[in-house]
Amino acid sequence: MTLLYAIGVGTLANVAVALVGRLLRLVNVRFDPSGESLVVGVAAAVIVAALGLGARHELVRIALLGLAAHAAVVLNRFLGVAFTGRTPIDGTVDAFLYTPLALALLVAGLVLGIAVGLIARGFHLRVPWRPPERLTRAAGFAFVVGTLASVIWPAPFLAQMLGNTELATALVSIPLFIAGPLAGGAYAARAGLDYRTIALLGTYMTLPIIVTLIIGTVGGVSALLDPRFDSVAGQLRGTIVLSWFLVVMRIAGWALGAAFAQGFLTPEPSPRPEHAP
């Protein structure tokens, strides 16, 4: 087991949590898991503490990863003010206000995760099933690369510089949408996973976005059928098309990354057979 496996477990768990949250919204039940970084951090801390993977160093890396997404928001705040002379029109407006809360949630999540992991380790608790290690590590690698991409590539700031239109936002967001899938697909291919498994993993990782988009598309189509929205019909159609385009690219990125790895990268040595616990 590795830290990447622990992050992968957290990533897969976060997808399930996010999917449940979006489905509950359909019945007007508000469910906010406080962001993917917290869910991934708690789950990864549980695995690290339970398996004893050099806990101190690994937990520091998990904490830094959890702060990376928030750091990207703060970075865009600085860039927006410095280069345009005005506050960005996006989520970075309250970036500094949420910083203490983000830090508090991260610390609480890590403490909770460590406590649960130590309890599981002390009582020798065993889970009935573990996700395959190669597949889980690929999911973790995609999450790490996607998180780093959000720090390196300031999409909200670039979109504002280009006029903050939907087309500009979609274009500058493409690197964020495909960085993780490309890296995850390449990692999975090098680990020996077949294209069918990689495609299923990519689809699972995108399920919360797909559900959100389906809900939004249904609402958009309903608006298009209402004469009161005729003045913005073209904008609604463009929004729907752009949103689905980005999602398709995100799913296709897994296969493209796998194809690149198969064609240009040397496969990893064959891992030992995975045994059921």
Side-chain angles (χ1 to χ4, degrees):
M1 301 294 179
T2 64
L3 175 61
L4 198 58
Y5 179 84
I7 295 173
V9 171
T11 303
L12 297 177
N14 174 71
V15 173
V17 171
L19 183 60
V20 170
R22 282 157 175 76
L23 292 176
L24 287 176
R25 289 180 185 178
L26 291 176
V27 292
N28 295 322
V29 175
R30 297 294 300 175
F31 178 72
D32 183 7
S34 299
E36 64 177 3
S37 296
L38 180 62
V39 176
V40 173
V42 171
V46 171
I47 301 299
V48 167
L51 300 178
L53 301 176
R56 183 172 61 182
H57 297 91
E58 308 296 9
L59 290 174
V60 169
R61 294 188 179 99
I62 293 174
L64 292 175
L65 187 64
L67 286 175
H70 186 75
V73 176
V74 175
L75 174 64
N76 278 278
R77 165 77 171 189
F78 274 121
L79 290 174
V81 174
F83 284 88
T84 66
R86 62 182 183 274
T87 302
I89 309 174
D90 55 27
T92 63
V93 172
D94 297 321
F96 293 106
L97 296 179
Y98 288 119
T99 296
L101 177 61
L103 293 174
L105 288 174
L106 180 63
V107 172
L110 290 176
V111 171
L112 176 63
I114 293 170
V116 173
L118 291 176
I119 291 173
R121 187 179 182 186
F123 286 91
H124 303 286
L125 300 179
R126 299 288 181 178
V127 294
W129 176 80
R130 291 178 182 172
E133 184 169 350
R134 291 179 296 168
L135 183 146
T136 306
R137 284 191 284 116
F141 190 71
F143 177 80
V144 171
V145 172
T147 301
L148 294 178
S150 69
V151 177
I152 298 172
W153 184 256
F157 164 70
L158 294 176
Q160 186 180 13
M161 294 294 292
L162 295 176
N164 210 30
T165 63
E166 291 185 353
L167 179 59
T169 301
L171 290 177
V172 300
S173 297
I174 288 177
L176 299 182
F177 270 80
I178 66 174
L182 284 173
Y187 189 99
R190 293 191 68 222
L193 296 176
D194 57 68
Y195 279 96
R196 178 176 176 273
T197 303
I198 294 173
L200 290 175
L201 175 61
T203 302
Y204 173 79
M205 296 283 286
T206 318
L207 274 179
I209 302 176
I210 293 175
V211 171
T212 301
L213 189 53
I214 289 175
I215 296 172
T217 301
V218 171
V221 171
S222 300
L224 289 174
L225 298 177
D226 190 335
R228 293 175 299 175
F229 291 92
D230 287 346
S231 60
V232 293
Q235 181 179 354
L236 287 173
R237 293 190 187 96
T239 300
I240 293 173
V241 172
L242 284 174
S243 299
W244 279 107
F245 170 73
L246 291 175
V247 169
V248 170
M249 285 198 65
R250 187 179 183 91
I251 297 175
W254 288 86
L256 292 175
F260 176 82
Q262 292 281 2
F264 298 97
L265 301 180
T266 304
E268 290 182 348
S270 299
R272 297 176 181 176
E274 297 173 4
H275 300 284

